[in-house]
Amino acid sequence: MKLHHTTGLGIIAVFTGIALGCLPGSTTATASHNPQSVKVSSLTGNSRPNVTFTGKFALYRDPQTSGSRQIILTKSQLKRLAKSTNSKDNFVALKVAKEANGKRFYWVRSFDNRYQGWIYGGKQPKRLSGGVKQFITFKESSVPESLITKTFKLATFGLVNDGKNSTYIQPMNTVLGAGRTVNSLISYQDSTFRIDKIGERTREGDTWVHVKNTDAKDTRANGWIELKGLVEAEPKVSDDTVRIDILNSAGHLIKYFDYQKPGAQSGQTLGISYLNDGTPVWLLKATDQKKIQDAVRASLSGTGYTLDAITSSKGGFLAQATFGGKAALTALPTIKIGDDAIRINVMDPNDSVIGYVDFARKEAQRGTKVGSLGADERKQIQSQLDDKFKASTYQIKLTDSQYQQIANGNFGGQVYVSASSKTNKIADNAVRINLVSGDNKNVVRSFDYVNTDSDNPAKKGSTLGAINNGKLQLLPADRLAIIHQAIAILDGTGYQIGNGEQISDADADRLASAKFGDSINVPVQLQTSRGDIND
């Protein structure tokens, strides 16, 4: 480990501040003294040490030991300052006064210029003692390989002097007078940087890094910045890939991942769409939705954020993303998981989290594997799940494989298990369409086709079709919507409805006679052609 800045008196020191409250009443010097008995000289350059306080002596207005002198800061106030966690309160020694008896006093000033005065510093010319001692402001260490190999961009470009909006000559408030490298970084918003140094400010304990522009011709913005002021630079998105950024509620990037689909072409949309009264409705195919949901969970692992479900609205948003481009999702902070607990998330058939329970084991430690679950622990977990979901439309009875999945997890972490529906209730304004295989009549997939017309809502028992020219017919808009919803939900099953793009007139007539609040079976067949709808 490297210690930041050595001086003629030793290692430079930084120190952070706390509120001091009101200063006590001061006393005025009345005793006379001989000015010739004190020799004052300035400390310059590397001979000026940063200091903190021992609390053994107060800070005075003048360097004399004789007579009654005015106190700037008491010993107890200096003790509190020595424990400060704000580097603005760092002090630096700028002058030294030597008395005839060999005693040395140092004139010190806080980095923010709030306080200045004289304090006894012992008799040794190169070693501080008495009321002050040298202090390490910044501890430099080796840059981890995980940072050396990456490139970064500046996250923000405001004028706030907070360590994250600019780069600095030295880590902020560790060296007196070391300010910003440039006043504004707006012109560097597209620049990329590499990290070549790293360290920690002593008082705050925050991590600072030194960055260098990857464009060696422009070094003006090279300097130190708080690590939180950087975001990982993203490489170019390939033509068969959609890059999905995961943001927090403030719009800051948490993580990103690339969703690749071999054979996809640049500009092609990720999902499919159809028109509903002239308005496009976007759908994400089932396989894409599951893979993206899994990738989101994997990317957010250990970040403190979560995105439990890609809802229909989020799926529709992602469906509009184009290959070679980007899309974004917003995650929320994870509800804290105890060090002695593992979170068991329960998913519906669409892989969306519908709730969770936390299983805790006494004296378990974060990061350790759960391991074998005893019979009583299995009963405890099942009881928690039964109680959690007793009022829901889902039920979860853990299987041996699901118990093993929990056993393979770590305390402080999460696992995901699937639930099944315990009710087949169909909404009054919905027709449940069961897509059944023509060979064995098993239900491959099913979905509820819902009437969303708020001005003319469907009534239970009314038909999905309408009378046209004296015949009950499926309206073209409903026919198109059902085809696309079937395509989306059948994705990955190996089955298709109709020829994958259209349904037969016979199937359309069958659907027209379907009644809201009820279900209907529609045959599907093994895929013989994939059509051209974003395959």
Side-chain angles (χ1 to χ4, degrees), residues 300 302-308 331-337 343 412 414:
L300 290 177
T303 65
Y305 286 87
T306 187
L307 199 170
D308 285 336
L332 297 175
T334 303
I335 298 174
K336 182 175 175 57
I337 304 173
R343 178 156 297 162
Q414 306 183 70

Side-chain angles (χ1 to χ4, degrees), residues 116 121 493:
Q116 56 188 4
T493 64

Side-chain angles (χ1 to χ4, degrees), residues 313-325:
S313 60
K314 289 178 180 176
F317 174 73
L318 287 174
Q320 300 175 59
T322 56
F323 287 95

Side-chain angles (χ1 to χ4, degrees), residues 142-152 193-195 198 209 227 232-233 255:
S142 299
V143 183
E145 187 71 19
S146 59
L147 295 180
I148 289 178
T149 56
K150 295 178 180 178
T151 56
F152 296 85
F193 296 83
R194 289 193 181 277
I195 294 173
I198 192 170
V209 293
L227 183 58
E232 187 177 338
K255 286 277 188 175

Side-chain angles (χ1 to χ4, degrees), residues 37 258-259 282 320 484 487 502:
S37 64
D258 287 345
Y259 182 63
W282 288 89
Q320 300 175 59
H484 280 77
I487 290 170
Q502 294 293 335

Side-chain angles (χ1 to χ4, degrees), residues 114-135:
R114 283 189 304 162
Y115 308 110
Q116 56 188 4
W118 293 89
I119 190 167
Y120 176 59
K123 293 184 176 183
Q124 299 297 321
K126 293 185 179 181
R127 186 174 67 86
L128 294 174
S129 62
V132 287
K133 60 182 179 180
Q134 295 172 339
F135 188 77

